[in-house]
Amino acid sequence: MNPVPRPALGCVGQPRLLAGLDTAPRLDRAGHLAVHGQVPAYHVDELVELTEYIDLRGRGGAGFPFARKLRAVTRSARAREGGRTAVVVNGSEGEPSCLKDTALLLHVPHLVLDGALLAAGALGAEDVVVGVTRQDVEQSVRAAVAERGPAGRRVRVTLLPERFVTGEGTAMVRGLDGGPTLPSGQKVRTSERGLGGVPTLLSNTETYAQLAVAARLGGAEYRAVGLPAEPGTLLLTVGGATVVEVPTGTSLPYVLDLCGSGPGQGVLVGGYHGRWLEPGAARSAALSRQSLSGFDAVLGAGAVLPLPEDTCPAGEVARVTRWMADESAGQCGPCVRGLPSLADAVENLVGGGGRAALEGVQARMRAVRGRGACSHPDGTSAFVASALAVFPEEFRDHALGSGCGRRVLGALPLPADENPERLVVDWTLCKGHGLCVDLLPDVVRLDADGFPAQGVMPVPGRLRPKALRAVRRCPALALRIQE
């Protein structure tokens, strides 16, 4: 099994969520209390007032006001006989460009549990469930629950399948209830009917951690950092590898520079359902809802992905589009047929499909918009549309057959194939024709003499058809696929 990535950590200014990690790699219960102290109890009305005053919003992508969620759960519970409620921590990060919630659950899990238990106490919720998708994260959270002794017994930790759609609210709830971890397609809010059919407060990991910080600091001190209209700090995953805590309003180019990068050819903000910023926009953008809205972008789940100068933008977009199509829930036509067709159209364009290929991509995007049981088709279509708008010359040149001449370096992170097939060279037959590198430039490298630089090369699943073509077309019959 391939090792799962563990993020590097950084901060701008004084950390809040990541406080204490300069002296310890993980804060156990004692270390957590030494850094943060006990969290006070709040009545539900007080908690609503606090979260409304600091404008706490969901940090999982949608940015929904947390106070409105609290009110909705309270209202639904009062309308039901018995008034039962539940609290769910969405610890799923099905997108490989996001690691901020993973960082919290691996390094400061007690901060997240504090926020969830604080909300549960205010709502009178009996069930607190943490849904995760990584085994190391599950182990960290279970250890934190055990460290709390009897107080942790009301918390349940559940390992769910690692998929892009696992984090969708209804998919998360269905999975935690023992069903398929797939979107229900029904327009029912979890605040009305969620875990076990009861009103459920569902929010992501960072949101609960921010709640725990705010409860300790109080509204006025929490608002002392960040922008007046968007107070506090936020977590970002930069380049799919580094998690940084920054005050809201921090300059985007400053954060990129801190992480050893720059805008490059452009910056994808908000992850694979996000938007591309061209380099000029990235240099003037700040990390706030107001600033990014001016570029038709949102922070989403906090992923910031600069595209280096030495990779092919069109090829990078094509490989992510294919992965997004493969991550379909498989329940409705726009996902089952529409997204694979969109990925085919993008690959056809990048492969030199001519002017008609551009029209084909546009047609496929129109075919999936607004028709899915969840937001996955819309988000994937928006990702492609944004790329076409920011890299128009790149896609035009590829469609017309000239291309950019750069390799696809995998700058946009995707999960590695656990058991990739391999392209194997028979050195007794190879004559150095070089046709293999023409068909598989992302797999085969040639040495100074024009022969493959390696005798065994892993083949990503998405490139298997091209690898088979290379095997068939090798004039010397020197290639084979090995599982």
Side-chain angles (χ1 to χ4, degrees):
M1 180 178 291
N2 289 301
V4 290
R6 295 177 69 94
L9 304 178
C11 65
V12 174
Q14 191 71 21
R16 288 179 169 181
L17 302 178
L18 304 182
L21 295 179
D22 55 336
T23 59
R26 178 184 180 277
L27 295 185
D28 60 13
R29 181 64 172 160
H32 168 74
L33 291 175
V35 172
H36 294 285
Q38 291 282 356
V39 62
Y42 278 70
H43 184 271
V44 66
D45 293 335
E46 296 173 325
L47 204 58
V48 168
E49 182 180 358
L50 170 68
T51 55
E52 198 164 46
Y53 178 61
I54 65 172
D55 194 23
L56 179 62
R57 292 175 180 252
R59 303 298 176 93
F64 194 80
F66 192 78
R68 288 174 60 184
K69 285 188 178 183
L70 280 170
R71 281 200 183 96
V73 173
T74 303
R75 187 167 53 249
S76 296
R78 287 172 179 168
R80 285 168 168 254
E81 185 177 349
R84 291 184 58 230
T85 58
V87 170
V88 170
V89 179
N90 188 343
S92 163
E93 284 182 309
E95 183 174 324
S97 66
C98 297
L99 289 170
K100 66 182 181 67
D101 294 334
T102 293
L104 289 172
L105 292 172
L106 286 177
H107 299 289
V108 288
H110 286 285
L111 199 61
V112 180
L113 294 179
D114 278 352
L117 289 168
L118 171 64
L123 291 167
E126 298 176 4
D127 296 320
V128 177
V129 185
V130 184
V132 299
T133 56
R134 289 176 43 148
Q135 290 184 346
D136 56 344
V137 170
E138 178 193 25
Q139 292 166 3
S140 175
V141 179
R142 287 190 184 282
V145 170
E147 288 165 5
R148 288 177 172 250
R153 291 175 184 168
R154 64 192 300 193
V155 180
R156 173 163 59 94
V157 186
T158 301
L159 183 67
L160 299 171
E162 179 71 83
R163 299 185 64 186
F164 187 86
V165 297
T166 296
E168 195 271 343
T170 61
M172 171 68 61
V173 167
R174 292 176 78 188
L176 294 177
D177 274 336
T181 311
L182 297 170
S184 69
Q186 299 177 359
K187 306 300 182 184
V188 178
R189 295 183 177 89
T190 55
S191 59
E192 298 172 3
R193 188 173 73 248
L195 192 71
V198 306
T200 299
L201 179 69
L202 186 152
S203 205
N204 97 305
T205 300
E206 186 192 344
T207 310
Y208 286 110
Q210 293 282 1
L211 178 65
V213 167
R216 288 178 168 92
L217 295 178
E221 189 173 347
Y222 185 91
R223 294 182 64 91
V225 170
L227 298 173
E230 300 176 41
T233 66
L234 55 90
L235 287 182
L236 306 169
T237 310
V238 181
T242 304
V243 171
V244 186
E245 184 178 6
V246 305
T248 57
T250 302
S251 161
L252 174 57
Y254 179 78
V255 172
L256 292 175
D257 183 65
L258 178 71
C259 296
S261 180
Q265 300 180 73
V267 180
L268 180 63
V269 178
Y272 295 156
H273 277 183
R275 299 292 187 276
W276 285 97
L277 301 181
E278 54 89 16
R283 291 188 185 96
S284 62
L287 293 161
S288 69
R289 293 193 305 273
Q290 181 178 7
S291 175
L292 291 174
S293 67
F295 304 104
D296 191 29
V298 294
L299 275 173
V304 175
L305 293 162
L307 195 67
E309 298 284 358
D310 54 351
T311 193
C312 171
E316 295 279 358
V317 170
R319 61 190 285 273
V320 171
T321 306
R322 175 60 64 187
W323 180 77
M324 298 282 274
D326 292 341
E327 287 294 297
S328 157
Q331 296 187 126
C332 60
C335 263
V336 175
R337 298 184 182 276
L339 291 186
S341 295
L342 175 58
D344 290 342
V346 174
E347 289 171 354
N348 179 48
L349 185 158
V350 175
R355 295 186 184 278
L358 282 165
E359 298 173 3
V361 172
Q362 296 289 352
R364 291 301 181 185
M365 288 193 295
R366 289 193 297 269
V368 301
R369 286 186 189 128
R371 298 180 56 222
C374 68
S375 64
H376 189 45
D378 284 356
T380 305
S381 173
F383 164 76
V384 175
S386 177
L388 290 173
V390 171
F391 307 111
E393 294 85 2
E394 293 283 347
F395 283 98
R396 182 200 61 208
D397 291 347
H398 278 80
L400 297 179
S402 57
C404 63
R406 287 168 287 193
R407 297 184 185 276
V408 180
L409 302 180
L412 300 182
L414 293 178
D417 292 337
E418 292 210 356
N419 296 293
E421 293 180 314
R422 296 177 291 176
L423 185 67
V424 179
V425 180
D426 185 338
W427 294 117
T428 65
L429 298 175
C430 181
K431 305 299 182 184
H433 292 97
L435 184 61
C436 51
V437 76
D438 292 337
L439 291 169
L440 285 169
D442 299 323
V443 174
V444 183
R445 306 284 191 275
L446 298 184
D447 61 19
D449 297 318
F451 287 84
Q454 296 176 292
V456 179
M457 295 153 281
V459 178
R462 64 187 173 85
L463 294 179
R464 188 175 193 275
K466 289 186 176 182
L468 291 172
R469 195 181 312 159
V471 169
R472 291 194 297 267
R473 292 188 180 181
C474 177
L477 303 178
L479 297 176
R480 62 186 175 87
I481 297 289
Q482 181 182 76
E483 293 186 357

